[in-house]
Each structure stands twice: as structure tokens, then as C-alpha cells.
Amino acid sequence: MSAPAFAGTVDGAQALARDHGCLACHGMLRKQVGPGFAQIAERYRSDAAAPSRLAGKIQGGSVGTWGRVIMPRQPQLSDEEAKALAGWVLSQPPP
């Protein structure tokens, strides 16, 4: 599926999360290794800059935001894919 084809779809963004191993560390609701997607959405719900910041963390990795857990870099994702994933994560309902 090309980046433009999935960008606006929930199923496409969820498929990206599955295909790139996001679900190995993140649960939908609760922490596994990293925080659950719903927990991330709850933390950033009122932050207008969150979509671009989270897309940057998806591509560049992160450590220290949620404790000492390391979020590995995903440099193989395009900017559009990272933004689609960030938008999908932020759209999750409260836990």
C-alpha cells in the first residue's frame, strides 16, 4: 500500500503499526514495554504540536519521555508514514 493510499485510513495506519513492529512494544490501551497507544493519546490530547513531535519520535527514536524505556528509531518510515502513525495513535480513545 503506498503512503498516500493509507494516510487517511485507520486500517492503513494500524497496518503500518503492525508491519513495523510497533505492537511488539505498545499495547492498544496499556503499557507493555512502552506506553499503550491510548495512554500516549491521553497525555498529548491537548497539545497542538503533538502530531509532528510524535512523528519525529517515531522516525528518530526517543528515551526518557516515559521513563528509561528506549523507543527505537524507525528511519525507514517516510515523513508521511510517520505522520499517519502519529495521527492514528493520537486518535485513540481514552483508556
Side-chain angles (χ1 to χ4, degrees):
M1 183 178 285
S2 69
F6 70 74
T9 69
V10 170
D11 289 340
Q14 191 168 14
L16 269 178
R18 183 186 59 247
D19 294 347
H20 289 282
C22 304
L23 299 172
C25 294
H26 297 279
M28 292 301 293
L29 297 175
R30 304 271 181 245
K31 179 179 179 173
Q32 285 179 200
V33 175
F37 295 131
Q39 292 173 300
I40 297 167
E42 185 67 22
R43 177 179 279 189
Y44 295 106
R45 196 161 313 282
S46 63
D47 183 352
S52 61
R53 188 169 50 248
L54 290 180
K57 288 182 180 205
I58 290 168
Q59 287 180 304
S62 175
V63 66
T65 305
W66 294 86
R68 297 181 66 167
V69 176
I70 296 171
M71 163 74 182
R73 295 181 311 120
Q74 300 291 323
Q76 75 281 8
L77 292 172
S78 69
D79 290 345
E80 190 170 324
E81 289 170 324
K83 288 176 185 174
L85 276 171
W88 174 74
V89 169
L90 291 168
S91 73
Q92 300 306 304

